[in-house]
């Protein structure tokens, strides 16, 4: 059995490794990597705009070639299966960079696309890209009149019924569709060879299988509207375009529209389509925001979908303070001094004076949240706010009192009617919208989820205000209703059931649910049942697509840490499963105090868009090891915090 000294050595190494990565002002930020679509779209964007940077293009091409799958196409996550849309975009981008279509990697990609039905079977966003380059007619894209921006909140198809990410991405695209945008495409790149049927002959651009009867209904509505939309009054049409531009510009900042790549790229294309000069201050700001997403590593570059400094700082800070806690605290004084800077940085980034889009459903609620990114004031998110609030409370509840209380007020006000919390909005759950032809990705909404709800409960329970108990109880009832038959919980924002189950168990513990509650016992038993023989845990991103929950071909430090933390939260610190999990984490740490994993560990949209947080493999194992040590030395043996 592994001794305490060995665990302590692992904590010391991990603490030192994470400490070195803290910025001078107190925050942390790690790379956030997605699949091939983001760098491919960036390359294509430069050709749309005729703002081609040869160095960036070539280095992104090196990256794209490296991550091509053995199946010839590009996957949505490390070692994943063929994805049509990712492959079409990657092929298009590489051809634009100058790759000969007859080179082996291009031939393999093209063969894979044709084998799977051709580019005509790519998703809506890919077909929009193809339409802007004249590769498909605009009728290949579902009807989405720009007049949608004028609809009030109560209208079914209002943009206010969409999630924040959908709202910010869709609005510039509506302008592109209204003006039938056409790329500059200075090198005249075309990809007709990717179609099984010539686009001019294709009649069934929008077809099933539909996920419900709503899909069939909306398909007929699309057919009905298509000949009518061109006859909408011109004055109404131009008013809608002005409203779309106004919506966009109100939300522009140094972080870009929504601080997410698809929306930011859409802004650049919108401005180009409307003839706005590159010297315009708004265009300059939007372009710089895109440049800030680019990561350069040797002869490669890739474009991040967004940056994650607030999230990374909250999680890294919690790992560091856990390591610096307890009788055997690691460099307590030095760590707490550094975390004082972290707290100051976080307080400076709290959004206190901007009522974002969330206020449509809560007009009387004061702002008080944090955004995921450096700057995204209109779109603070609930998960970040709960995590940051828990960290500030642990660092210094007195000095951080005002920030914590504003966060508490905002979190309580953001609870949905079913007792849960969504990531950015209240009651953003009009499920019918996920069945419109435009939403073939099925991710147009932001309904409450177990993982985000668990974090909110953890935050409120950690603060311990008696008057918050009714809010917490409603949240607990929601979590109880969301438990899967096998005892796990779905992980909306992290991979997957291990993430969701860990999140909920932490919340149930700090909220005072007895550890012998059948709900907790079933969840903990499930976690132990999916432990691997080497003592670790791993979960495949394919679990979002029907693969076995909680399973993967190898163990991963991030998932192992989540599982161990979840089990320790409900009183199983001394179980064989936890001991083996701790041994796994110690054994897989390198001589620099770090861990390594290539598989993706999070999700943007299940089945559509996946993420690799490069910081997860560092701060979650450190949190788990430190928690294990601290519980062993505590009098109660109980986790006293929400995270």
């Amino acid at each position: 059995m592994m001794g305490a000294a060995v665990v302590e050595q692992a904590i010391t190494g991990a603490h030192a490794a994470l400490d070195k990565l803290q910025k001078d002002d107190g925050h942390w930020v790690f790379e956030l990597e997605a699949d091939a679509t983001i760098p491919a779209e960036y390359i294509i964007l430069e050709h749309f705009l005729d703002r081609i940077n040869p160095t960036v293009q070539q280095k992104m091409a090196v990256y794209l070639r490296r991550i091509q799958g053995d199946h010839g196409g590009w996957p949505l996550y490390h070692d994943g299966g063929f994805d049509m849309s990712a492959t079409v975009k990657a092929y298009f981008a590489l051809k634009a960079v100058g790759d000969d279509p007859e080179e082996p990697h291009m031939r393999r990609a093209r063969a894979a696309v044709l084998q799977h039905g051709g580019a005509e079977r790519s998703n809506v966003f890919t077909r929009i890209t193809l339409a802007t380059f004249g590769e498909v007619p605009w009728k290949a894209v579902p009807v989405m009149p720009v007049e949608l921006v004028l609809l009030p909140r109560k209208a079914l198809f209002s943009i206010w019924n969409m999630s924040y990410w959908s709202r910010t991405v869709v609005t510039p695209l509506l302008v592109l569709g209204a003006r039938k945008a056409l790329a500059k495409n200075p090198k005249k790149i075309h990809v007709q060879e990717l179609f099984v049927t010539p686009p001019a002959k294709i009649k069934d651009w929008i077809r099933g299988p539909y996920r419900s009867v709503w899909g069939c209904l909306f398909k007929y509505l699309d057919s009905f509207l298509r000949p009518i939309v061109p006859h909408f009054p011109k004055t109404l049409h131009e008013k809608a375009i002005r409203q779309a531009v106004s919506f966009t510009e109100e939300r522009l900042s140094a972080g870009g529209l929504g601080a997410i790549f698809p929306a930011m790229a859409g802004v650049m294309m919108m401005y180009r389509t409307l003839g706005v000069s590159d010297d315009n201050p708004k265009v300059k700001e939007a372009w710089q925001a895109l440049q800030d997403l680019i990561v350069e590593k040797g002869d490669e570059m890739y474009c991040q979908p967004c940056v994650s400094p607030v999230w990374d700082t909250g999680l890294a800070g919690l790992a560091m303070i856990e390591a610096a806690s307890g009788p055997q605290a690691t460099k307590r004084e030095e760590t707490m001094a550094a975390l004082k800077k972290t707290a100051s940085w976080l307080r400076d980034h709290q959004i206190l004076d901007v009522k974002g889009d969330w206020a449509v459903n809560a007009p009387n609620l004061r702002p008080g949240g944090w955004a995921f990114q450096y700057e995204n004031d209109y779109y603070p998110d609930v998960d970040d706010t709960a995590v940051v609030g828990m960290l500030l409370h642990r660092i210094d509840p007195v000095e951080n009192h005002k920030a914590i209380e504003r966060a508490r007020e905002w979190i309580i006000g953001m609870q949905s009617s079913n007792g849960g919390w969504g990531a950015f909005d209240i009651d953003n759950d009009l499920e019918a919208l996920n069945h419109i032809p435009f939403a073939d990705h099925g991710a147009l909404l932001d309904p409450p989820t177990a993982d985000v709800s668990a974090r909110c409960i953890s935050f409120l329970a950690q603060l311990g205000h008696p008057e918050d108990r009714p809010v917490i109880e409603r949240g607990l009832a929601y979590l109880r209703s969301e438990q899967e038959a096998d005892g796990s919980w779905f992980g909306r924002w992290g991979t997957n059931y291990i993430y969701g189950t860990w999140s909920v168990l932490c919340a149930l513990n700090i909220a005072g649910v007895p550890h012998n509650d059948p709900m907790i016992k079933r969840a903990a038993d499930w976690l132990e049942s999916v432990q691997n023989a080497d003592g670790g845990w791993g979960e495949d991103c394919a679990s979002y697509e029907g693969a076995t929950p909680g399973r993967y071909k190898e163990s991963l430090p991030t998932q192992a840490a989540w599982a161990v933390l979840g089990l320790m939260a409900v009183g199983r610190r001394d179980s064989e499963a936890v001991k083996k999990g701790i041994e796994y984490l110690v054994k897989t740490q390198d001589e620099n105090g770090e861990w390594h994993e290539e598989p993706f560990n999070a999700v943007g949209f299940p089945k559509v868009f996946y993420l690799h947080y490069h910081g997860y493999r560092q701060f979650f194992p450190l949190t788990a090891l430190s928690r294990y040590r601290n519980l062993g030395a505590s009098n109660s043996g109980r986790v006293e915090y929400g995270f």
Side-chain angles (χ1 to χ4, degrees):
M1 192 59 63
M2 189 163 290
V6 178
V7 174
E8 189 62 44
Q9 183 179 6
I11 293 170
T12 300
H15 178 278
L18 193 54
D19 178 62
K20 290 176 184 176
L21 297 172
Q22 188 177 18
K23 304 294 185 183
D24 291 341
D25 60 8
H27 85 283
W28 282 266
V29 64
F30 293 85
E31 293 176 43
L32 179 55
E33 187 176 5
D35 60 76
T37 57
I38 302 297
E41 286 174 5
Y42 180 85
I43 290 171
I44 294 167
L45 175 65
E46 288 198 343
H47 287 260
F48 181 101
L49 301 171
D50 191 11
R51 295 186 69 164
I52 298 171
N53 183 321
T55 300
V56 172
Q57 297 256 315
Q58 290 300 330
K59 287 196 169 191
M60 285 193 181
V62 174
Y63 172 85
L64 288 175
R65 294 185 203 108
R66 177 175 63 80
I67 64 171
Q68 186 175 12
D70 292 339
H71 41 60
W74 278 263
L76 293 178
Y77 46 83
H78 175 77
D79 205 26
F82 169 87
D83 182 78
M84 174 64 78
S85 296
T87 303
V88 169
K89 287 181 179 177
Y91 180 97
F92 196 154
L94 289 175
K95 189 173 182 182
V97 169
D99 286 16
D100 189 328
E102 295 309 312
E103 289 185 54
H105 68 287
M106 297 290 278
R107 294 182 67 176
R108 289 193 300 117
R110 184 166 64 252
V113 168
L114 296 175
Q115 179 186 348
H116 286 84
E120 56 262 49
R121 300 281 72 93
S122 56
N123 65 22
V124 166
F125 286 108
T126 302
R127 298 204 304 274
I128 290 173
T129 298
L130 294 170
T132 63
F133 279 79
E135 297 304 282
V136 301
W138 276 97
K139 69 179 181 181
V141 178
V143 172
M144 287 287 282
V146 70
E147 287 79 6
L148 290 178
V149 301
L150 301 175
L151 294 177
R153 166 72 171 81
K154 293 182 180 180
L156 174 62
F157 299 111
S158 169
I159 63 170
W160 301 107
N161 289 327
M162 301 177 188
S163 64
Y164 125 68
W165 58 83
S166 300
R167 201 177 306 132
T168 55
V169 170
V170 164
T171 301
L173 292 183
L174 294 178
V175 177
L176 299 188
R179 290 294 174 88
K180 300 294 184 286
L182 191 62
K184 293 294 184 181
N185 195 12
K187 297 191 176 182
K188 301 294 184 280
I189 306 300
H190 300 285
V191 289
Q192 290 296 300
E193 67 270 23
L194 296 182
F195 291 86
V196 171
T197 304
K201 296 183 178 181
I202 297 172
K203 306 297 183 185
D204 61 341
W205 291 105
I206 301 169
R207 65 179 188 177
Y210 301 111
R211 294 187 295 275
S212 78
V213 68
W214 284 107
C216 299
L217 176 63
F218 290 142
K219 168 65 170 69
Y220 287 117
L221 181 60
D222 184 275
S223 301
F224 174 75
L225 284 175
R226 194 170 294 275
I228 296 175
V229 168
H231 300 290
F232 284 0
K234 185 175 181 180
T235 53
L236 184 69
H237 191 70
E238 293 303 317
K239 178 182 177 181
I241 290 176
R242 290 194 300 273
Q243 177 60 30
V245 173
S246 176
F247 171 93
T248 299
E249 294 190 337
E250 285 174 13
R251 290 156 181 77
L252 273 184
S253 68
L257 176 62
I260 51 175
F261 174 85
M264 295 156 69
V267 170
M268 290 300 303
M269 291 188 285
M270 180 188 77
Y271 277 135
R272 173 67 84 236
T273 300
L274 295 176
V276 181
S277 168
D278 290 345
D279 293 328
N280 181 287
K282 294 284 189 183
V283 177
K284 286 184 174 181
E285 184 177 57
W287 181 247
Q288 185 56 51
L290 283 166
Q291 305 314 298
D292 292 341
L293 296 178
I294 295 174
V295 173
E296 183 172 9
K297 302 174 79 171
D299 64 345
E300 291 187 356
M301 282 184 176
Y302 74 90
C303 187
Q304 301 173 101
C306 62
V307 290
S308 53
V310 174
W311 185 240
D312 290 339
T313 299
L315 297 174
L318 285 165
M320 294 296 279
I321 202 166
E322 188 69 33
S325 300
Q328 298 162 295
T330 304
K331 294 190 173 181
R332 177 166 179 79
E333 291 185 6
E334 299 95 317
T335 301
M336 293 310 298
L339 289 176
K340 289 282 187 181
K341 294 169 64 178
T342 300
S344 177
W345 186 88
L346 288 168
R347 289 195 305 269
D348 288 345
H349 283 77
Q350 189 174 20
I351 302 164
L352 299 173
D353 55 1
V354 175
K355 281 197 170 188
D357 288 3
W358 52 267
V360 170
N361 292 321
N364 299 319
L365 180 62
R366 290 196 301 174
W370 278 268
F372 185 75
Q373 305 91 344
Y374 286 109
E375 188 172 350
N376 191 17
D377 286 359
Y378 271 80
Y379 303 107
D381 81 88
V382 169
D383 214 358
D384 273 84
T385 301
V387 165
V388 169
M390 285 188 279
L391 173 60
L392 293 178
H393 183 254
R394 289 192 66 175
I395 292 173
D396 190 331
V398 176
E399 184 177 12
N400 298 316
H401 176 75
K402 180 180 178 182
I404 293 168
E405 286 303 304
R406 284 293 294 271
R408 168 178 166 255
E409 177 185 338
W410 189 70
I411 288 285
I412 291 171
M414 292 295 289
Q415 188 174 30
S416 288
S417 57
N418 67 358
W421 281 265
F424 299 92
D425 280 300
I426 302 166
D427 290 331
N428 191 261
D429 55 3
L430 194 56
E431 181 58 30
L433 286 180
N434 267 336
H435 301 272
I436 65 174
F438 181 84
D440 61 352
H441 57 311
L444 208 65
L445 305 175
D446 177 23
T449 60
D451 45 1
V452 175
S453 301
R455 218 91 62 213
C456 294
I457 292 169
S458 287
F459 171 50
L460 296 175
Q462 181 175 310
L463 296 185
H465 294 284
E467 63 269 31
D468 295 347
R469 197 65 209 182
V471 174
I472 293 171
E473 289 296 336
R474 289 178 59 221
L476 291 174
Y478 167 78
L479 291 180
R480 193 177 289 275
S481 73
E482 287 293 302
Q483 189 172 26
E484 302 287 336
D486 61 11
S488 67
W489 277 273
F490 177 74
R492 169 60 181 86
W493 298 99
T495 311
N496 175 349
Y497 293 93
I498 294 175
Y499 179 91
T501 305
W502 152 67
S503 301
V504 173
L505 288 179
C506 289
L508 298 181
N509 167 68
I510 194 64
V513 179
H515 292 170
N516 61 0
D517 186 295
M519 170 173 55
I520 287 180
K521 187 178 185 303
R522 288 171 55 228
D525 287 348
W526 177 81
L527 274 179
E528 291 187 354
S529 76
V530 295
Q531 186 174 24
N532 294 327
D534 63 2
W537 280 262
E539 186 159 10
D540 197 336
C541 290
S543 63
Y544 289 103
E545 302 154 17
T548 304
R551 296 290 188 182
Y552 190 49
K553 62 185 179 183
E554 63 180 291
S555 294
L556 302 168
T558 295
Q559 271 94 345
W562 291 336
V564 166
L565 285 165
L567 291 171
M568 289 191 292
V570 292
R572 299 199 184 189
R573 186 264 181 194
D574 295 323
S575 66
E576 284 302 308
V578 168
K579 290 176 182 177
K580 289 179 180 178
I582 293 297
E583 288 181 1
Y584 165 81
L585 290 174
V586 171
K587 286 187 298 185
T588 54
Q589 187 184 34
D590 70 15
E591 64 277 7
N592 298 315
E594 299 177 349
W595 287 267
H596 304 276
E597 61 185 27
E598 290 187 88
F600 284 23
N601 47 33
V603 62
F605 314 120
K607 303 181 183 180
V608 177
F609 188 65
Y610 298 84
L611 299 166
H612 182 185
Y613 287 88
H614 285 239
Y616 278 17
R617 65 180 183 265
Q618 299 306 129
F619 38 72
F620 282 118
L622 174 58
T623 306
L625 291 169
S626 302
R627 177 71 47 82
Y628 179 78
R629 178 199 66 189
N630 295 343
L631 286 176
S634 74
N635 292 324
S636 69
R638 189 181 186 94
V639 177
E640 306 291 347
Y641 302 102
F643 194 95

